[in-house]
Amino acid sequence: MIHNKETPLHLRTAALSTQAIHADEHLGCSAEVAPCISVSTTFRLPEDVTTNNFPTETHVYSRESTPLRSRLETVLGAIHDNGHAVTYGAGLAATFALLLHLKPRRVALGVGYHGSKATLDLYMRKVATVEVISIDAPYKSGDLVWLENPVNPTGEVVDVRHYADRAHANGAFLLVDATLAPPPLQQPFRQGADFVLHSSAKYLGGHSDSIGGIIITRCCKDATELRVQRTLLGSTMGSLETWLLLRSLRTLEIRVLQQSRIATQLVAWLHTAVRGRPESGLPVGVIAKVYHASLQKLPPSMDVCEAFPHGFGAVFTLEFHSQAHAKRFPYLLRLSQAATSFGAVHTTMEWRHAIDLTQSPKTLRVSIGLEALSDLKQDWCRALNALKYGEDVVKHKL
Ligand SMILES: *Cc1c(COP(=O)(O)O)cnc(C)c1O
């Protein structure tokens, strides 16, 4: 089992963008500037190995560790306030691994992604009995408090510090699934989280080409135990995914901040049509409501500047007046794909009702990419007018 060599002090105290580029440099083994992909499943062992006495500084078998996975986990840990990161083959593999590790008797569950609930359900049916309680019910020692922030699919936020204080006053643990707002948008450890979870297929990967899951722990011991358990579960991230994800992290800050900025401006623009005072050309009476934290009435207790100092992310939900419009809209756009997932450089949107019946059939979840705001507005304006006045009419005019 490899133990990650300590990140040098000047990088532990560096800003996030610097850490994302340099935190793993000391783990490089040659003069290369960009790391090589690790594909070897097995590594040459030194002659002096005896039973159960593998050297701690070498890699043995890739189910346990690889040079590139160590580099990726070092960067992921560094950018999460110097926490300890463990990577998995998918976000839901990470979810399952954390349940096995903590073995909670009770889970206090907030609103969120239906897949995480399905994984918890599988764990409850096949592994151990768990009592699911409301996020606002009283907590007991050993409970796992499970928050998603921001919430999938609305992009609205919750007050993590409030739940952290309640959890810690009662001996419970707080997990924050931060998939919808990675650093630099939020740093859940600063809000009191004990564990942070990500689906790295979303913003961290950011290009819709690498699936994976991450758990970041405050405490080194938890990360070490999770790695030992991962070796037995075999739920490791593939080598290409590992390489792609590390490459993507180098540009994480600039991507995420720009996506969040564009989305927030687009949300404000769409909201003018909901309020009946549309900016030029935007039709009234098509979109009924826009959900995003930038429009949300936030809990009065919440210190927003501390929790989300740079914006709330690029995911929001549109509610249409008619179901037919919600289903048709993605196919009228030229600069957006009708596809699941979010957080990538290209704008995507999804009619969530198709996979999650609890979601209204009049809604679409939107994720804004890195296209120019002016081009997106023009595209959306044309498509919304086509919904209101008929596709043929608008085709002739625009
Ligand atoms: C996508 C997602 C997951 C699951 O991650 P996978 O990598 O798809 O397994 C978990 N939580 C949230 C909030 C997600 O959006």
Side-chain angles (χ1 to χ4, degrees):
M1 169 66 58
I2 193 93
H3 296 289
N4 294 346
K5 284 184 232 156
E6 281 279 299
T7 302
L9 184 64
H10 72 280
L11 287 169
R12 291 179 63 80
T13 53
L16 186 141
S17 54
T18 309
Q19 288 181 321
I21 294 165
H22 292 289
D24 59 323
E25 233 161 44
H26 63 292
L27 297 172
C29 51
S30 68
E32 71 209 6
V33 172
C36 289
I37 188 169
S38 307
V39 292
S40 190
T41 55
T42 185
F43 300 85
R44 280 194 293 274
L45 289 177
E47 195 176 350
D48 59 359
V49 155
T50 57
T51 308
N52 285 334
N53 179 30
F54 288 100
T56 53
E57 293 295 322
T58 40
H59 300 278
V60 176
Y61 186 53
S62 68
R63 176 153 47 76
E64 277 183 7
S65 69
T66 73
L68 199 66
R69 194 181 304 148
S70 299
R71 293 185 71 156
L72 173 63
E73 291 181 347
T74 299
V75 173
L76 283 165
I79 65 172
H80 284 90
D81 277 337
N82 298 307
H84 306 273
V86 186
T87 55
Y88 293 87
L92 292 188
T95 302
F96 195 78
L98 195 68
L99 287 169
L100 278 180
H101 177 59
L102 294 175
K103 234 172 156 290
R105 292 229 184 90
R106 307 200 313 163
V107 175
L109 205 54
V111 203
Y113 175 55
H114 70 109
S116 308
K117 287 182 187 147
T119 297
L120 173 62
D121 195 48
L122 177 68
Y123 177 87
M124 283 158 58
R125 276 186 286 123
K126 300 288 188 182
V127 183
T129 310
V130 177
E131 188 189 343
V132 177
I133 59 168
S134 150
I135 198 77
D136 294 312
Y139 305 149
K140 285 201 272 206
S141 178
D143 286 354
L144 174 62
V145 180
W146 190 307
L147 281 185
E148 206 171 281
N149 200 36
V151 173
N152 187 356
T154 59
E156 294 187 328
V157 295
V158 292
D159 184 358
V160 171
R161 187 173 287 286
H162 165 76
Y163 291 100
D165 290 347
R166 282 190 56 217
H168 297 153
N170 293 284
F173 300 102
L174 177 67
L175 163 72
V176 175
D177 181 337
T179 300
L180 270 88
L185 297 178
Q186 68 172 335
Q187 286 287 8
F189 288 141
R190 289 182 208 168
Q191 303 291 301
D194 299 297
F195 299 93
V196 178
L197 189 140
H198 280 284
S199 161
S200 60
K202 318 292 170 51
Y203 287 100
L204 296 179
H207 296 73
S208 305
D209 54 10
S210 166
I211 197 150
I214 322 290
I215 296 171
I216 306 111
T217 68
R218 262 185 204 272
C219 158
C220 181
K221 188 164 162 280
D222 280 309
T224 305
E225 287 177 20
L226 285 166
R227 285 196 192 105
V228 170
Q229 291 159 18
R230 180 187 61 191
T231 297
L232 301 179
L233 290 168
S235 47
T236 51
M237 192 183 281
S239 46
L240 178 61
E241 288 77 5
T242 306
W243 186 87
L244 285 166
L245 180 53
L246 180 57
R247 182 193 160 125
S248 291
L249 290 180
R250 312 299 190 194
T251 55
L252 177 71
E253 178 163 38
I254 194 166
R255 276 190 286 112
V256 170
L257 290 181
Q258 177 72 350
Q259 282 177 257
S260 179
R261 215 174 285 133
I262 298 170
T264 305
Q265 290 177 37
L266 198 74
V267 160
W269 177 71
L270 294 167
H271 191 57
T272 63
V274 176
R275 284 170 52 235
R277 289 211 225 120
E279 275 187 25
S280 56
L282 203 55
V284 184
V286 181
I287 296 175
K289 188 160 180 187
V290 187
Y291 296 85
H292 185 243
S294 62
L295 299 177
Q296 186 185 348
K297 191 168 180 310
L298 294 161
S301 60
M302 188 171 164
D303 183 343
V304 186
C305 296
E306 189 193 72
F308 285 92
H310 307 292
F312 301 102
V315 175
F316 61 91
T317 285
L318 285 181
E319 186 180 314
F320 289 79
H321 282 291
S322 98
Q323 175 175 337
H325 282 176
K327 285 197 79 174
R328 182 70 188 135
F329 184 60
Y331 299 94
L332 294 175
L333 291 168
R334 294 173 182 146
L335 300 178
S336 175
Q337 326 279 345
T340 194
S341 199
F342 57 84
V345 294
H346 27 249
T347 294
T348 55
M349 59 184 68
E350 185 185 21
W351 189 61
R352 294 290 287 170
H353 186 74
I355 57 161
D356 179 2
L357 287 174
T358 66
Q359 301 301 318
S360 160
K362 293 182 180 176
T363 60
L364 282 177
R365 183 185 67 191
V366 181
S367 171
I368 297 298
L370 286 175
E371 300 91 347
L373 179 65
S374 53
D375 291 330
L376 290 176
K377 278 185 170 178
Q378 199 177 30
D379 194 28
W380 283 53
C381 197
R382 182 188 46 76
L384 288 167
N385 276 297
L387 287 180
K388 175 145 182 173
Y389 299 109
E391 292 174 32
D392 287 343
V393 177
V394 171
K395 208 178 283 165
H396 293 303
K397 277 172 77 179
L398 296 170

